[in-house]
Amino acid sequence: MTKIAFYGSSLLSSYWNGAATYYRGLIRQLAKLGYQVTFYEPNVYDRQKHRDMVPPTWCKVVVYEGTREALKEAAAEAREADVVVKASGVGFEDEALMDHVLSAARPDALKIYWDVDAPATLAQLGQEPDHPLHGQLQKVDLVLTYGGGDPVVYGYRTFGARACVPIYNALDPDTHRPVRPDDRFAADLAFLGNRLPDREARVETFFLDAAAKLPDAAFLLGGSGWCDKPMPANVRYIGHVSTRDHNCFNVTPKAVLNISRASMAANGYSPATRVFEAAGAGACLITDAWTGLELFLKEGEEVLSARDGQDVADAVASLTPAQAAEIGRRARARIMRDHTYAHRAAEVHRIITSHISPRQVEAAE
């Protein structure tokens, strides 16, 4: 059984941690393929106080304190693994964690850097020639990314990565699925997302401006950090929404909105987990327009796209409940056919196998 040591932000909590759904979906499916995964996460940002998942049977989770000493102890356990993964954005001493994990890993272990925000990372590498990741990339065998398409692959190869493969977000059908509507989330349009510096201006444009243009429509905002944000009177803010309520949040409004972070929108080919969560629940999704959307959903039939707040307002005003339901039905069918985490895990399995097999041959010789 192939052992994976995975160092990431958090598997147990989605609090200020948008990657949780991605990690859960992938690792659960990798476990079904026979991998033994241990996930290491630091106890920071109050995530352990806001757990929305109990430790699963399909993955061992090790929570270590946010101290240098605890970090070193957790990193040292990488020596037991056949595959060692260090994700971006762990949230505590990322650069030191990368160094310690790479140092602890066995020479024959497959070493992977998994970037869950590749466009932003590549921009940082371009601006900071002395960033530690430049040197660390020379010590990893492979870069996997949350998405990004050819622009991200080219960027990482330019900075010296031996190989780079995007592993896109997807749907976990057991977690995100159609449910009964819930009046708590009733609205004409709902948006769920934390308040982040490279998203806020786009939320103003695509969501708040659209709300201002439709004063008689009901808009719903979920996510952390928006409590002091000025909003039109027809926007109802409900704060952090637990993952256990995401299905209700998606199916209840007439439509839900996806707004990409600025770096991902500029790069393209970077669908957020929200896209697949919404489609999996059979919701009618309106998304900001970005290059590569057609790889995942067909515009006009399985998803609606918008260039600005006026486009969003026009879509909400003209959309009938019957039309919204049909778009949601088609979106779910497409995602179930082509874009589940079972599809993604099979791809990761092929990649790992193709890298590990030559090492085993070399070791036998």
Side-chain angles (χ1 to χ4, degrees), residues 71-144:
L71 178 152
K72 291 179 182 178
E73 292 178 4
E77 296 188 20
R79 65 179 176 269
E80 305 297 331
D82 305 298
V83 179
V84 177
V85 176
K86 162 62 175 70
S88 66
V90 171
F92 176 74
E93 298 282 355
D94 268 82
E95 296 160 10
L97 177 61
M98 182 78 153
D99 283 335
H100 286 296
V101 165
L102 291 175
S103 178
R106 299 195 314 259
D108 65 326
L110 178 63
K111 304 167 188 68
I112 298 174
Y113 179 64
W114 205 317
D115 195 345
V116 296
D117 195 1
T121 302
L122 291 170
Q124 187 175 22
L125 290 175
Q127 296 165 3
E128 302 177 23
D130 58 345
H131 193 286
L133 188 57
H134 285 285
Q136 292 166 339
L137 284 176
Q138 312 307 311
K139 301 176 183 179
V140 301
D141 303 297
L142 173 66
V143 175
L144 298 180

Side-chain angles (χ1 to χ4, degrees), residues 342-365:
H343 292 99
R344 303 295 190 255
E347 185 177 3
V348 173
H349 173 64
R350 287 192 295 269
I351 292 168
I352 290 176
T353 301
S354 68
H355 281 77
I356 285 183
S357 296
R359 292 165 182 263
Q360 294 173 337
V361 171
E362 291 172 4
E365 294 175 346

Side-chain angles (χ1 to χ4, degrees), residues 134-309:
H134 285 285
Q136 292 166 339
L137 284 176
Q138 312 307 311
K139 301 176 183 179
V140 301
D141 303 297
L142 173 66
V143 175
L144 298 180
T145 67
Y146 182 84
D150 289 343
V152 159
V153 173
Y154 175 78
Y156 262 111
R157 293 300 295 268
T158 298
F159 286 122
R162 299 177 194 177
C164 176
V165 182
I167 304 296
Y168 293 101
N169 276 314
L171 170 68
D172 178 353
D174 293 332
T175 302
H176 296 104
R177 59 192 186 278
V179 297
R180 291 182 180 276
D182 186 321
D183 288 342
R184 290 179 298 161
F185 307 116
D188 293 295
L189 183 70
F191 170 69
L192 177 60
N194 294 332
R195 186 179 185 178
L196 299 170
D198 68 342
R199 177 187 280 149
E200 184 166 358
R202 294 177 62 78
V203 172
E204 292 172 356
T205 298
F206 286 90
F207 184 72
L208 298 180
D209 286 358
K213 296 176 187 300
L214 295 175
D216 293 331
F219 285 67
L220 180 68
L221 174 61
S224 300
W226 299 102
C227 55
D228 61 346
K229 180 73 176 178
M231 302 179 194
N234 60 333
V235 176
R236 181 164 59 95
Y237 175 53
I238 58 174
H240 175 69
V241 179
S242 170
T243 52
R244 68 177 65 92
D245 286 327
H246 282 193
N247 289 322
C248 293
F249 185 96
N250 285 322
V251 303
T252 304
K254 182 168 68 171
V256 294
L257 180 65
N258 173 68
I259 304 174
S260 305
R261 292 170 57 187
S263 58
M264 290 188 172
N267 182 87
Y269 303 97
S270 302
T273 54
R274 202 72 62 220
V275 170
F276 299 97
E277 287 185 6
C284 177
L285 177 68
I286 303 172
T287 182
D288 59 326
W290 39 270
T291 303
L293 174 60
E294 69 280 358
L295 296 178
F296 307 95
L297 293 167
K298 187 173 182 180
E299 187 176 347
E301 295 183 13
E302 300 166 341
V303 67
L304 301 177
S305 68
R307 296 163 299 175
D308 53 30

Side-chain angles (χ1 to χ4, degrees), residues 18-79:
T21 299
Y22 182 68
Y23 292 149
R24 293 168 183 175
L26 275 166
I27 293 173
R28 183 178 182 182
Q29 292 301 322
L30 286 171
K32 290 183 179 180
L33 294 176
Y35 289 90
Q36 182 179 325
V37 185
T38 302
F39 193 97
Y40 299 87
E41 59 180 77
N43 184 5
V44 294
Y45 298 121
D46 283 336
R47 287 178 181 144
Q48 299 308 314
K49 295 179 181 178
H50 294 85
R51 285 188 180 186
D52 50 2
M53 179 183 185
V54 297
T57 58
W58 39 263
C59 177
K60 178 182 178 181
V61 180
V62 175
V63 179
Y64 60 93
E65 292 304 315
T67 66
R68 274 294 189 109
E69 190 58 36
L71 178 152
K72 291 179 182 178
E73 292 178 4
E77 296 188 20
R79 65 179 176 269

